Amino acid sequence: MWVSPEDVLLAGALWITERANPYFILQKRKGHGDGGGGLAGLLVGTLDVVLDSSARMAPYRILYQTPDSLVYWIIAHGTSRKEITEHWEWLEHNLLQTLSIFENENDITTFVKGKVQGIIAEYNKNHDVKEDDDTDKFKEASAKFRKLFGMPEEEKLVNYYSCSYWKGKVPRQGWLYLSINHLCFYSYLLGKEVKLVVRWADITQLEKSATLLLPDVIKVSTRTNEHVFSVFLNINETFKLAEQLANIAMRQLLDNKGFEQDRSLPKLKKKSPKKVSALKRDLDARAKSERYRALFRLPKDEKLDGHTDCTLWTPFNKMHILGQMFVSTNYICFTSKEETLCSLIIPLREVTIVEKADSSNVLPSPLSISTKNRMTFLFANLKDRDFLVQRISDFLQQTTSKIHLERELTGSLNSSDDEVGIIERFSPDPQHSLGSEGERTFNLNDSSVPTATQALMTMYRRRSPEEFNPKLAKEFMKEQAWKNHFAEYGQGVCMYRTEKTKELVLKGIPESMRGELWLLFSGAINEMATHPGYYEDLVEKSMGKYNLATEEIERDLHRSLPEHPAFQNEMGIAALRRVLTAYAFRNPNIGYCQAMNIVTSVLLLYAKEEEAFWLLVALCERMLPDYYNTRVVGALVDQGVFEELAREYVPQLYDCMQDLGVISTISLSWFLTLFLSVMPFESAVVVVDCFFYDGIKVIFQLALSVLHANIHQLLGCKDDGEAMTVLGRYLDSVTNKDSTLPPIPHLHSLLTDNGEPHPEVDIFKLVRSSYEKFGSIRADVIEQMRFKQRLRVIQTIEDTTKRNVVRTIVTETAFSIDELEELYVLFKAEHLTSCYWGGSSNPTERHDPSLPYLEQYRIDVEQFKGLFNLLFPWANGAHSDPLAVRFFRLLDQNGDALINFREFISGLGVLCHGDLTEKLKLLYKMHVLPGECALMQFNVLRKSPLQNCRKCFILKLNTPDYRHYLKLWNQETKPKRENTKDLPKLNQSQFIELCKTLYSMFSEDVAEQELYHATATVTSLLLEMGEVGKLFSSSSSSRKDHNMEGLENKPSPYIKLEDSSPKDTGTSSAMLISDDETKDDTSMSSYSVLSAGSHEMDEKLQCEDIADDTVLVRSDSGTNGERSNRPHSSGPLDRGLPHSTSIDKDWAITFEQFLASVLTEQALVHYFEKPVEVAARITNAKNVRKVGRPLLSTSDYEISSKLGY
């Protein structure tokens, strides 16, 4: 390819000149091509790998040089001699004569440079290549990556790094390539090559460590190997990128939505590959956005636009605080450099004015932002203030348009600013409140269900006169403290959040303010404000609909805080039902999980119904990610994190707890319900207060504090039961002396024994103690630990899935457990590869982790073809694909165009372990299926529907028959043995297809000629049997002619629409025999005479939508004809349906006749009875993929190959 001219100082170093003229030199890289260039070639090859020159240097190049100059310019390079020769010849024919005219060398150089750049521009214009800031270095690195590891265009390289790979005790210097789906390494040292390909989805551990000998090491572990990389120039960048890519892969294994959101990254234009930083920049931007959202509790779809250093004027202490401003599509946020000093969130929907103030020495580049609640925020020391203001203005304009649009859609008044602060009040008497006209009601199917529009706690709070005591006075003082705080620091989402805010939270949030502050601190207030009417719509859509989630919800409704009066009547139960059902419909991937009912019931006590819904959204989707899915992955991940923290912070207790197995027991119940199920209610809500303010670190801190407080008792425990009793008594004794609520019996305390109760523990002292002892735990450290544990947990789940699948089907097949596990790995790898690089069906349809184990991984016909060619003994030559399609249709019992592992193994098991009869029966049934309809469904229907309307009609006609056959053959799964007499007969066209299949199966067999002769004998015998059978049926068919007239319109694929039966079948069979007798090694197959010698039989073949002789006849050169699925222009289907009358409906053979005929030929018997080496095929399938296989299936598994090593 032509390249923009670059100067080269040493033209002869490491290159060999092959052609030269006064102005241009064509060179070849030493060590490239035949011979390798001896020792010099080995050294150059090694240097290329170590110094990355192989990524920059193609093996051929053309240099430009003026006669009197020492400076050379590279103007073209090529990966092949053909490519570079074309460029050289163009230069000789078009430029040499022109250059001789110039007198000045500078003019020549300018002319050549301009000409080359003009050629590049013209090429880009003609080939629609977009101009971008790509680097040639990265383009060639991407090309080299795909070539070295056999990757397709869809596999995008993200970045690559120089490093050493430890192969045994020897380090191999080379290059680590990180792509979207794989980690790859390549090294070439002194003629020895090392390649490594590892799927991100196969990695079980990824860690960065340091040893005395190797200060910076990245360890990559899979189920079978551990790979060590060292000597990185920038190990932190490499590790962060690897961590992020592995995280994406885990997300895809965990959740089928991962493919939708994560495949958006590598979708780049094939003709304009991005430079090294572009795709990586996208990933970095995603990582920054994730940290930004977590820091400020923003909605999941919020994307960070940029951030800059600045100062913020804080009026409460009259200071300019140094920090960073973050700007995104809908928010402006600020956090101080000193972490807890101050943070601020300003939603753009609240902003009224953004203006630049006058600069001064005291206040350089100030920016003032005013909000609707009359607060003004003053930022200063802003770099590039004008650009920042423009970005904010653009986002403000978008936000304003969104608000106007929402108001138009929702009727404008419901979301007016004046109503934001309105709080509806209810009478304390719940019976009276049911009839209130001021209630906000939802449009529910059942109008008799009362609807709560305020927190349930306000409706069921019982206060007797004697309760007005110091507790209530203290509660009143708390409320006043918060009100004073609001007056000084602001109220609502734009409040300054400082260390004082945290102090107030640790002292306990007042009962009356709990719902409001939970919404504020969790960020749920933002999602609720930007989705007006969303909850009501969900309730309307979900009410009255039933599925598995709603059944589970109904079962658990009366188990949710049954001791609280709010849930002892229909109002509380109905509100809980609506919130849980609405969320199950919002997020079907989670649906409903146990423990959600307990948490939601507490949310409903302190928040309105809609607020409780958005709090639940924040909890499930942001604050406790993956906690409440079917496999509680998030809770298991945090259990692993807790074990790590326990080992670090209470090491003396860790070994004891591990031996007792207590940590895994306690962590799930503590974390899933935020201590609500193990602690008295009035104490647990204080934990929830802190959790909404400070996140998951609060739960870890508190759990460690509980263990630390009981360290001596736990060390003395002899079993897990005793340890659980110790911890249960302690948690039961945690009290909230400030609570104004009436005491509520705690279920957990009722289940403990009658031993001596633990002394009371004050919840506020416990929380403060947890902050003092374990407050150093940082959120970013927790996220790092979560990543490590997520790898372990998800891979453990994958291993469990594999074991369960194998255990389920091991009794149904003759394969060993080890063979089944190996086959499952190959099956899963084929599935994942198709999800990565495309396929004929949507990956989200094939991959659904919520399905039963056997259904989680499924493949379509394209992936089955790949596995069929690798594993199935009947796969031979170019005719394998049509046979694979037939086999697939037979295995696809439910007709969804996907097969699961059980169906796959059932088919492979027959071919590998079945007896002769079973194999022949399978072969027979594959052809009784309307085979051409199967082919049509996958191929013909992709063409224009107008061109294929007749074919589509035939497909519809065939469908009932096809289903009927499947129902018949499904009976084989039952214990009773199938009677071979129940199998349908094979008609003439199906028999021809069977003959073709037999010939194609033997095309590469050692005994090919012997098998061909045996097949010819069998087919001749069967043809004669069919003719004889037709004679017997002719008399009975003539008596039933009047019945056939009435059946003409029935949907059968083999109906005779006109009376035109063949007359010369006997001649055809004779020709078949004579042809086979005279056949030599390169002659036509025996069945070719059916097409070439008999016009009548040719028409029969055409009616199967084969349409031309290339389907059957070998070419004159002796090569196999390839099957064509394109109908011939004069084929019978183009002439209308009546032409299908060439099928002779009276000609048929039975399975018994087919079996008996095959048994007469020893060669065929030996072929179908010979044992199949399954282990060898599995090994071959692993190793042969990278040689002679389509790119779609390359690197489906971990490869660690060495050439010459």
Side-chain angles (χ1 to χ4, degrees), residues 84 127 188 241 253 298 306 423 453 474 493 571 685 886 917 980 1077 1193:
I84 206 70
H127 292 78
Y188 179 86
L241 181 57
L253 288 177
L298 300 177
I423 300 175
T453 57
K474 196 166 186 179
V493 71
M571 174 173 277
V685 290
R886 288 181 177 280
T917 307
T980 54
E1077 287 170 349
S1193 301

Side-chain angles (χ1 to χ4, degrees), residues 812-830:
E812 305 170 7
T813 178
F815 290 113
S816 68
I817 290 178
D818 289 341
E819 288 171 343
L820 283 173
E821 288 187 348
E822 293 281 0
L823 288 168
Y824 180 83
V825 169
L826 284 170
F827 186 87
K828 172 184 168 184
E830 192 73 38

Side-chain angles (χ1 to χ4, degrees), residues 57-73:
M57 302 292 183
Y60 298 94
R61 71 180 183 181
I62 296 175
L63 301 181
Y64 157 74
Q65 181 209 20
T66 54
D68 298 327
S69 173
L70 295 177
V71 179
Y72 295 81
W73 300 83

Side-chain angles (χ1 to χ4, degrees), residues 434 439-440 442 444 448-457 459-460 535 539 542-543 553-554 557-558 560 566-583 596-597 599-614 616:
L434 298 184
E439 285 186 30
R440 181 181 174 192
F442 301 123
L444 303 178
S448 63
V449 177
T451 305
T453 57
Q454 67 176 14
L456 295 176
M457 187 65 80
M459 302 167 62
Y460 291 95
Y535 175 67
V539 170
S542 62
M543 290 302 287
I553 289 169
E554 288 298 325
L557 282 176
H558 295 277
S560 311
F567 297 100
Q568 291 170 359
N569 63 66
E570 187 53 33
M571 174 173 277
I573 295 294
L576 183 59
R577 177 187 292 115
R578 284 191 294 274
V579 173
L580 289 173
T581 306
Y583 186 76
M596 283 173 70
N597 59 320
V599 174
T600 308
S601 57
V602 174
L603 298 178
L604 278 166
L605 288 175
Y606 294 101
K608 298 177 188 177
E609 199 170 302
E610 184 179 9
E611 294 171 345
F613 169 79
W614 287 111
L616 183 63

Side-chain angles (χ1 to χ4, degrees), residues 1091-1197:
S1091 177
S1094 169
H1095 171 71
E1096 170 195 309
M1097 192 62 78
D1098 183 41
E1099 289 186 353
K1100 292 175 186 173
L1101 294 175
Q1102 287 183 357
C1103 75
E1104 279 279 300
D1105 194 21
I1106 295 166
D1108 58 47
D1109 294 339
T1110 57
V1111 176
L1112 302 176
V1113 186
R1114 294 192 181 191
S1115 64
D1116 294 336
S1117 62
T1119 57
N1120 286 334
E1122 292 181 2
R1123 178 172 186 130
S1124 169
N1125 289 322
R1126 294 192 301 271
H1128 194 276
S1129 60
S1130 61
L1133 286 173
D1134 292 325
R1135 297 194 293 269
L1137 279 172
H1139 195 82
S1140 63
T1141 56
S1142 56
I1143 296 176
D1144 186 353
K1145 76 174 186 62
D1146 290 331
W1147 192 99
I1149 60 168
T1150 64
F1151 173 69
E1152 290 94 332
Q1153 291 171 328
F1154 173 62
L1155 176 62
S1157 302
V1158 171
L1159 289 174
T1160 61
E1161 292 295 323
Q1162 192 60 37
L1164 289 174
V1165 171
H1166 176 72
Y1167 177 84
F1168 284 107
E1169 283 188 339
K1170 66 182 177 184
V1172 177
E1173 292 293 332
V1174 181
R1177 286 184 173 270
I1178 292 172
T1179 304
N1180 181 60
K1182 285 183 174 181
N1183 295 328
V1184 88
R1185 285 176 180 268
K1186 59 184 181 294
V1187 181
R1189 285 276 292 151
L1191 289 177
L1192 182 67
S1193 301
T1194 306
S1195 301
D1196 297 344
Y1197 50 91

Side-chain angles (χ1 to χ4, degrees), residues 468-608:
F468 202 82
N469 52 27
K471 284 187 178 181
L472 285 179
K474 196 166 186 179
E475 182 79 0
F476 177 75
M477 289 172 65
K478 281 185 185 178
E479 290 179 8
Q480 285 302 118
W482 276 98
K483 286 176 183 176
N484 294 338
H485 185 77
F486 292 151
E488 190 175 357
Y489 295 87
Q491 186 170 5
V493 71
C494 297
M495 176 177 71
Y496 292 99
R497 304 170 195 222
T498 66
E499 191 66 31
K500 190 172 180 184
T501 316
K502 181 178 176 180
E503 282 298 315
L504 285 175
V505 172
L506 293 184
K507 290 177 182 176
I509 296 176
E511 298 280 334
S512 59
M513 296 181 175
R514 196 160 258 145
E516 175 192 347
L517 291 173
W518 283 359
L519 275 174
L520 181 65
F521 295 143
S522 67
I525 190 170
N526 293 314
E527 287 165 303
M528 190 171 79
T530 52
H531 294 81
Y534 178 84
Y535 175 67
E536 290 94 324
D537 291 342
L538 264 185
V539 170
E540 280 193 54
K541 291 174 185 174
S542 62
M543 290 302 287
K545 295 185 180 176
Y546 298 96
N547 53 31
L548 182 60
T550 55
E551 288 178 16
E552 292 176 344
I553 289 169
E554 288 298 325
R555 187 183 63 218
D556 286 349
L557 282 176
H558 295 277
R559 305 176 188 173
S560 311
L561 291 188
E563 64 275 13
H564 197 285
F567 297 100
Q568 291 170 359
N569 63 66
E570 187 53 33
M571 174 173 277
I573 295 294
L576 183 59
R577 177 187 292 115
R578 284 191 294 274
V579 173
L580 289 173
T581 306
Y583 186 76
F585 273 77
R586 167 188 165 85
N587 192 342
N589 286 326
I590 292 179
Y592 170 75
C593 174
Q594 283 189 332
M596 283 173 70
N597 59 320
I598 296 172
V599 174
T600 308
S601 57
V602 174
L603 298 178
L604 278 166
L605 288 175
Y606 294 101
K608 298 177 188 177

Side-chain angles (χ1 to χ4, degrees), residues 843-884:
T844 58
E845 294 172 3
R846 295 194 300 280
H847 183 76
D848 188 352
S850 64
L851 290 172
Y853 292 123
L854 273 169
E855 298 294 329
Q856 283 182 22
Y857 293 113
R858 294 173 292 173
I859 59 175
D860 63 18
V861 69
E862 293 302 322
Q863 286 83 59
F864 180 75
K865 284 179 186 177
L867 288 177
F868 182 83
N869 287 323
L870 286 171
L871 295 170
F872 285 65
W874 289 357
N876 279 316
H879 299 281
S880 292
D881 282 0
L883 184 60

Side-chain angles (χ1 to χ4, degrees), residues 297-364:
R297 307 276 168 79
L298 300 177
K300 285 200 307 180
D301 55 353
E302 192 66 19
K303 293 181 180 177
L304 178 65
D305 186 67
H307 59 89
T308 182
D309 291 338
C310 67
T311 58
L312 172 67
W313 169 254
T314 48
F316 50 87
N317 60 1
K318 308 291 189 293
M319 287 178 64
H320 291 281
I321 297 178
L322 183 64
Q324 275 192 323
M325 174 194 282
F326 299 84
V327 178
S328 60
T329 319
N330 300 295
Y331 298 88
I332 299 170
C333 302
F334 173 87
T335 183
S336 57
K337 291 284 186 186
E338 190 179 333
E339 193 175 345
T340 58
L341 199 57
C342 179
S343 68
L344 181 66
I345 301 170
I346 309 172
L348 293 182
R349 64 178 184 273
E350 298 289 328
V351 173
T352 54
I353 300 172
V354 178
E355 58 183 345
K356 293 181 280 188
D358 294 333
S359 289
S360 65
N361 292 331
V362 180
L363 208 62

